[in-house]
Amino acid sequence: MKKPINQNVWKFFQKHNNAILYSSFMEDHYLKLGYKKSQALQEIIRIKQEQMRLDNGKIKVFPLALKYISTEQVINIHDEKSNNFSIFSQNEEFIFVNKKQDNISLNIEPNWLQDYEYFDEDEGKSKYGTSDLSFPISKIPCNGCGGMLQCAEPSFPGYIPSEIYKTCKEKELKKITCQRCHFLKNYNIALNVNILPEKYLQFISSIAHKPGLGVLIVDLLDFPTSIWSDVHKVIGDQRPLFIVGNKVDLIPKDCRNYLNNIRANLREEVIKKGIREENIKHIALVSATTGYGIEELITNLHHKWGTQGDVYLIGATNVGKSSLFNALLGSDYCKVQACDLIQRATASPWPGTTLRLLKFPILRPSDYRIFLRTRRIISEQYEKGQEAKLRRLQANKTGKVEFATLIGHIGHSFQSERKVTLDHFSMGKPNIEPQVLNEESKVYRNSKWCYDTPGIVLNDQIHHNLTLEEIILTKPTEMLRPRILFFKIGLSIFLAVYSSLRLPILICDTTKANAIYSDLLQTDALQVPQNTTVRPQPWVSLEYGFDFSIVGDFIGLTVADIVFSSIGWVGVNAEKNDTVAFRVWSPEGKGTYLRKPALLSQGFRLHNKRIRDSLAYRIGKAFIKH
């Protein structure tokens, strides 16, 4: 049974009934009751009331982008909507529900400070801790974001309440994270800090003249718009580079050789951005989330770079640098002694999580270690091959996305060399030393390091206008499934087609597009932006971006993609020798790009059945069976 629709939203759809030709939001909420209208109505009311009862008992907080708290303020962000569940109203074959959210205050545990091992309860004066200007900033970086730990100013990076900071010795500070990282990891809360976007670029530019390998990470859901135009100037014209396309597990499989097509497309777009082809030493497609391609990347890092110098993970915000850093940290690429001594970087959908350099020591790939690693990988090949074959059969039989998703296993070839001191008369746990990494020790003194760098803040990335909750809505969590549409002259579409399925699609008459957008803005019909007064920047209007026309090359092939940075893209199909023309609009006219050739040239093969009397097909398949 489909979801009932908000009555206020329905009024806007009625107002523009003749101009709206298709809405996935309406498609999801459309419900025919027929002669069982009263019985179905009672059943929906019962289900809705039961769902509300369950929701009230397990509310999970995804608050909006909070402003950083000061020493006298208490976090007290409320949803302005009231909890008023109204009775359904009816109109012919539709039913509607006016559901308003509960008045929920930010549900942070009142004793969250006690999560820190070194919290001094006797010093506690505030529910959220207090600052103290009398204590200087430390020289110890936060393990999660790299900001220097301090208790002086909550709006600066690395802040820890004084109740914790003042009780910690130097060794203890090396084991904890700042308040911002703590909230991101434990409460999905983004606390803003006072760092100008220009500072990110200045900081990353400081490595331009430092020798080392650059690992340029590109978001495959957002390229080439996630590569800044003067990247070669920032990282150095002569620097050897590995190009890593991340999030490949989310790309649909439109043909057997789709990975080769993506790799070729990635190479071409990177070169267009000014990267010299002779500087590219390797191109890898990985998923830092599922582990796919990580082992192959490590093998190439060992063979093609070794320990000639340090390694810098470079890229724009939200491309997955910290996730890749964490994957490498827990692999054969990190010195065995350091794997458990360095905390994982804070990985979050919120852009700009990493504020300064994070690092771990690289394992020196001696001949013997390469032999041990190669032997392990060969021994695992049969088992992994059989698993891949089974998953392929399951995918073809069931059509489920989870079986077609690219996954990988990150193994370990070497035993830990850390000394364990056992007291045979003790019932406690063994004492493991050392507890923190000492860079001056003999083990690490001559090491080469792998650095996680702050993400470059690109003005064209649309997600900088979004709240954390909106970013979560726009980020796909599983392999994309295309929504395929017929288009005619004089029509407009909101939003992207290759995008998160949580973002609705709407097709309307272009002459009424402005009025429709104005009425449906900040409603469930568009999802993003949401109706909130708390956001990083004021929401901006849609503005003209660019015009383009293109001629179809081959029947059934996607000619080009219209990319909306950090949101998704629209693949354009045209019959051979037919000319199609589009005018592209986006927030402030930013973040749009015409990508040719298309990333998925055979994406139309993923179509599903046509919706009767509609311009749209049902949500497409995620992969071609083989």
Side-chain angles (χ1 to χ4, degrees), residues 524-538:
D524 292 341
L526 294 182
Q527 286 292 322
V528 176
Q530 297 186 340
N531 187 13
T532 175
T533 58
V534 185
R535 72 172 55 254
Q537 302 175 27

Side-chain angles (χ1 to χ4, degrees), residues 349-452:
W350 187 252
T353 305
T354 303
L355 304 177
R356 295 179 67 88
L357 293 178
L358 302 174
K359 64 180 181 178
F360 66 78
I362 299 172
L363 180 75
R364 185 175 65 86
S366 64
D367 291 342
Y368 180 65
R369 283 172 171 160
I370 292 294
F371 165 74
L372 291 178
R373 174 175 166 77
T374 303
R375 185 175 65 178
R376 175 183 67 82
I377 292 176
I378 292 175
S379 69
E380 294 172 351
Q381 279 183 347
Y382 176 77
E383 183 179 347
K384 290 181 178 179
Q386 292 299 108
E387 180 185 4
K389 182 178 179 181
L390 176 61
R391 288 175 58 82
R392 192 160 51 247
L393 290 173
Q394 290 173 315
N396 290 336
K397 185 174 182 179
T398 66
K400 293 184 177 180
V401 169
E402 56 263 35
F403 296 124
T405 301
L406 298 174
I407 63 171
H409 302 283
I410 304 174
H412 296 273
S413 305
F414 319 113
Q415 296 296 321
S416 175
E417 300 172 13
R418 297 177 63 190
K419 293 183 179 180
V420 178
T421 304
L422 292 176
D423 181 354
H424 296 285
F425 296 97
S426 173
M427 299 298 292
K429 296 181 179 179
N431 182 28
I432 302 177
E433 293 290 345
Q435 295 184 351
V436 295
L437 187 146
N438 180 11
E439 296 182 27
E440 300 303 320
S441 69
K442 182 179 179 181
V443 179
Y444 307 110
R445 194 176 302 152
N446 298 317
S447 294
K448 303 303 180 184
W449 299 81
C450 178
Y451 290 92
D452 180 17

Side-chain angles (χ1 to χ4, degrees), residues 1 80 102 137 281 306 448 455 464 467 512 562 581 606-607:
M1 189 171 290
E80 296 298 329
D102 199 356
I137 296 175
K281 306 304 178 184
K448 303 303 180 184
H464 293 298
T467 66
K512 302 291 181 64
I562 308 170
L606 300 171
H607 73 82

Side-chain angles (χ1 to χ4, degrees), residues 564-580:
F564 295 89
S565 180
S566 68
I567 302 298
W569 74 90
V570 177
V572 179
N573 281 54
E575 295 293 333
K576 187 174 182 180
N577 297 326
D578 280 357
T579 300
V580 295

Side-chain angles (χ1 to χ4, degrees), residues 77-296:
I77 303 299
H78 294 272
D79 189 335
E80 296 298 329
K81 301 176 185 178
S82 62
N83 182 20
N84 181 18
F85 178 73
S86 68
I87 299 299
F88 295 86
S89 59
Q90 298 175 229
N91 185 326
E92 298 179 358
E93 298 179 331
F94 294 88
I95 65 168
F96 324 92
V97 60
N98 182 19
K99 180 182 181 300
K100 296 184 178 180
Q101 298 295 329
D102 199 356
N103 227 359
I104 305 168
S105 62
L106 187 59
N107 187 21
I108 299 176
E109 292 292 333
N111 60 346
W112 75 270
L113 285 166
Q114 297 177 13
D115 294 343
Y116 285 91
E117 182 179 353
Y118 307 106
F119 171 60
D120 187 350
E121 295 187 39
D122 295 333
E123 292 288 332
K125 299 177 182 178
S126 167
K127 180 179 178 181
Y128 300 102
T130 56
S131 60
D132 190 337
L133 290 170
S134 64
F135 274 71
I137 296 175
S138 73
K139 296 181 180 179
I140 300 171
C142 166
N143 287 299
C145 67
M148 293 302 177
L149 297 176
Q150 50 90 17
C151 68
E153 176 51 55
S155 63
F156 288 171
Y159 174 75
I160 302 175
S162 61
E163 291 82 353
I164 299 167
Y165 186 85
K166 291 191 292 188
T167 63
C168 291
K169 299 177 181 178
E170 181 177 336
K171 182 180 290 188
E172 294 164 346
L173 282 176
K174 291 181 178 179
K175 297 175 60 179
I176 64 178
T177 57
C178 69
Q179 184 189 54
R180 177 174 179 263
C181 291
H182 184 82
F183 275 35
L184 276 169
K185 289 180 177 179
N186 295 283
Y187 301 102
N188 290 311
I189 294 172
L191 299 178
N192 288 339
V193 295
N194 293 337
I195 282 193
L196 297 174
E198 295 78 12
K199 293 295 182 183
Y200 284 99
L201 191 58
Q202 291 176 12
F203 189 84
I204 197 65
S205 297
S206 65
I207 72 169
H209 302 293
K210 295 180 180 179
L213 175 71
V215 178
L216 179 61
I217 304 169
V218 181
D219 184 351
L220 291 177
L221 302 183
D222 182 22
F223 93 93
T225 45
S226 62
I227 311 171
W228 60 104
S229 57
D230 55 352
V231 57
H232 60 290
K233 297 179 182 178
V234 174
I235 63 179
D237 289 325
Q238 303 301 321
R239 186 182 301 278
L241 287 174
F242 273 38
I243 309 298
V244 175
N246 190 27
K247 306 180 186 179
V248 69
D249 59 308
L250 301 177
I251 302 294
K253 303 179 180 180
D254 65 328
C255 62
R256 285 179 177 269
N257 297 321
Y258 83 110
L259 290 179
N260 291 334
N261 296 341
I262 293 172
R263 191 176 285 105
N265 202 321
L266 180 58
R267 175 184 288 272
E268 183 175 335
E269 293 291 348
V270 166
I271 293 173
K272 286 181 183 178
K273 291 291 186 178
I275 300 266
R276 297 168 61 183
E277 187 168 8
E278 55 267 29
N279 289 351
I280 301 175
K281 306 304 178 184
H282 180 67
I283 295 181
L285 302 180
V286 308
S287 169
T289 302
T290 69
Y292 176 82
I294 300 297
E295 289 280 26
E296 181 184 353

